[in-house]
């Protein structure tokens, strides 16, 4: 009998996020794009790559961690998002995500791009964004968005 692959899980915890950490994870950076139609722009959470010991991580590992992020904040909503495309009226349940909401997004979806933000140390940190269709949002985050860790 062959070994089965472990089931991917996503875990988080209840509570109020640390506002300073939340500001670091979601800095105020304009995406530079406005979505057309039924699309939504999401800013992905910035990831701190740390190790328990003095292990040096290769750049490919850091890039993988960065691009596989699945937690984000809605920063822009297209004019047709969350509307019936036939009648252009809002769905009876209304918009399921608004600007400022924290959401879970697909790991392998959307159009992703990067912008940089200057740091106090004089470096530039990357800030990631993605555009996806309104119906591709997976879930609204109701707990601390910084507590979620993806295990895949």
């Amino acid at each position: 009998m062959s070994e089965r692959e472990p089931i991917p899980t996503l875990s988080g915890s209840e509570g109020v996020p640390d506002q300073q950490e939340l500001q670091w994870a979601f800095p105020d950076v304009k995406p530079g794009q406005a979505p057309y139609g039924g699309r939504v722009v999401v800013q992905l959470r910035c990831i701190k790559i740390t190790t328990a010991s003095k292990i040096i991580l290769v750049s490919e590992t850091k890039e993988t961690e960065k691009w596989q992020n699945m937690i984000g904040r809605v920063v822009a909503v297209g004019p047709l998002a969350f509307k019936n495309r036939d009648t252009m009226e809002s769905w009876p349940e209304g918009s399921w995500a608004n600007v400022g909401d924290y959401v879970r997004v697909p790991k392998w979806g959307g159009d992703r791009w990067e912008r940089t933000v200057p740091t106090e140390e004089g470096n530039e940190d990357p800030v990631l964004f993605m555009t996806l269709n309104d119906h591709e949002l997976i879930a609204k985050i109701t707990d601390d968005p910084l507590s979620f860790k993806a295990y895949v």
Side-chain angles (χ1 to χ4, degrees):
M1 188 151 215
S2 65
E3 288 187 33
R4 293 184 182 186
E5 292 185 28
I7 297 173
T9 62
L10 190 76
S11 64
S13 63
E14 293 182 21
V16 178
D18 179 315
Q19 290 303 311
Q20 188 172 2
E21 286 292 314
L22 197 62
Q23 179 61 33
W24 184 91
F26 296 99
D28 291 327
V29 177
K30 294 186 186 267
Q33 300 179 22
Y36 284 136
R39 292 186 174 82
V40 177
V41 175
V42 175
Q43 178 184 1
L44 297 175
R45 176 180 61 187
C46 293
I47 301 290
K48 287 184 181 178
I49 310 253
T50 58
T51 60
S53 60
K54 295 183 180 185
I55 297 172
I56 298 173
L57 296 175
V58 296
S59 61
E60 289 85 10
T61 302
K62 293 177 185 177
E63 285 294 310
T64 300
E65 285 293 317
K66 179 175 78 173
W67 290 103
Q68 288 188 0
N69 187 2
M70 296 183 292
I71 304 296
R73 180 180 67 188
V74 177
V75 294
V77 176
L80 300 179
F82 313 114
K83 293 183 178 176
N84 182 329
R85 305 305 194 269
D86 294 331
T87 64
M88 298 304 146
E89 293 179 10
S90 295
W91 292 109
E93 64 269 16
S95 296
W96 46 92
N98 297 303
V99 172
D101 286 348
Y102 295 96
V103 294
R104 179 158 174 239
V105 297
K107 180 170 42 170
W108 304 114
D111 175 46
R112 297 177 186 225
W113 72 96
E114 185 176 290
R115 300 213 55 196
T116 56
V117 60
T119 64
E120 293 175 3
E121 297 83 31
N123 301 330
E124 288 188 340
D125 283 340
V127 177
L128 305 173
F129 293 91
M130 73 182 300
T131 300
L132 65 159
N133 292 317
D134 58 356
H135 66 273
E136 292 178 297
L137 295 174
I138 295 173
K140 182 176 180 177
I141 302 296
T142 58
D143 291 331
D144 178 1
L146 301 178
S147 69
F148 286 86
K149 308 278 187 277
Y151 302 99
V152 290

